[in-house]
Amino acid sequence: MFSKEVSVKALEKLFRRRPVVELDALYHTLKTRSRMSAFRRLRQLDYLSSYTHAGRYYTLVEIPRFDEKGLWLYRDIGFSRKGTLKNTVAHLVESGDAGQTHRELERLVRVRVHNTLLSLVQEQRIDRQRIEKMYLYVSIEPERAAHQLTARRELLASTEKTALPLTPSTIIEVLVEVIQRKQPKGTPAEV
């Protein structure tokens, strides 16, 4: 394994070439197979591990261009300012003006969050409230949660009133699909 100074330079060069790497690339660059040694050298640089792919990807803190939610996706690999998936989901729920639904969270982080949400609720880091026919994940702080619930109810009421009409092409596609399904197999549909 290289000296401390040589290792840092080698890692910086690696991350300039490839913004996201796996552990094998660290081993190869540092000329070691020791996980502990690789992380000791990596710790000398400010790094992040991915919240997706079981945290097996790494990048330097200065590389990601985080969005307003604190997320950065490199291809399908997700990184967060909050680090882990659990911390990221907790933060997104807490900072959401109208809380967050399961579907909204999955759309944001682009991974399955069911177990993470359950764990966060059980650990009392977030709360879960039934609203309409879904669960809304809200702050554990009662006052903040009340504000989030009110905002969500207002959001739901406004979207119900402003439902967009279907476009003519969508109506035609639906009708064609219905007609085709009603025809016995082998019988051509008349149009």
Side-chain angles (χ1 to χ4, degrees), residues 70-184:
L71 304 174
W72 180 62
L73 285 172
Y74 177 78
R75 298 183 181 139
D76 67 335
I77 305 163
F79 292 88
S80 168
R81 279 196 175 111
K82 298 300 177 184
T84 65
L85 178 62
K86 193 180 264 191
N87 288 342
T88 300
V89 169
H91 170 74
L92 291 169
V93 167
E94 183 65 39
S95 63
D97 292 334
Q100 297 284 348
T101 66
H102 178 265
R103 182 176 290 157
E104 290 167 340
L105 287 163
E106 283 190 346
R107 198 175 303 127
L108 286 170
V109 297
R110 299 186 185 181
V111 293
R112 200 170 167 268
V113 295
H114 178 80
N115 294 340
T116 303
L117 287 168
L118 182 61
S119 179
L120 286 167
V121 168
Q122 289 171 341
E123 293 170 11
Q124 297 182 342
R125 289 181 61 191
I126 62 173
D127 195 12
R128 176 174 78 171
Q129 298 291 323
R130 192 136 179 90
I131 183 168
E132 303 273 322
K133 294 179 181 178
M134 65 181 163
Y135 281 114
L136 181 67
Y137 295 90
V138 294
S139 173
I140 195 69
E141 299 298 322
E143 191 174 316
R144 173 83 176 130
H147 288 292
Q148 289 174 316
L149 282 164
T150 299
R152 179 59 63 151
R153 285 187 179 106
E154 289 171 2
L155 186 63
L156 288 171
S158 70
T159 55
E160 286 174 6
K161 291 176 188 171
T162 60
L164 298 174
L166 296 174
T167 63
S169 63
T170 302
I171 293 170
I172 291 169
E173 287 176 26
V174 170
L175 289 173
V176 167
E177 182 69 26
V178 168
I179 291 168
Q180 287 177 343
R181 287 185 185 227
K182 297 232 179 209
Q183 294 296 318

Side-chain angles (χ1 to χ4, degrees), residues 34-69:
S34 167
R35 184 177 174 88
M36 205 148 122
S37 295
F39 279 100
R40 191 176 311 115
R41 295 298 193 233
L42 189 58
R43 220 174 295 123
Q44 293 171 324
L45 301 168
D46 212 2
Y47 78 96
L48 292 170
S49 59
S50 62
Y51 69 80
T52 62
H53 301 83
R56 75 171 197 248
Y57 290 95
Y58 306 92
T59 190
L60 299 182
V61 168
E62 73 254 10
I63 292 173
R65 299 293 170 239
F66 293 108
D67 65 14
E68 69 279 353
K69 303 261 188 215

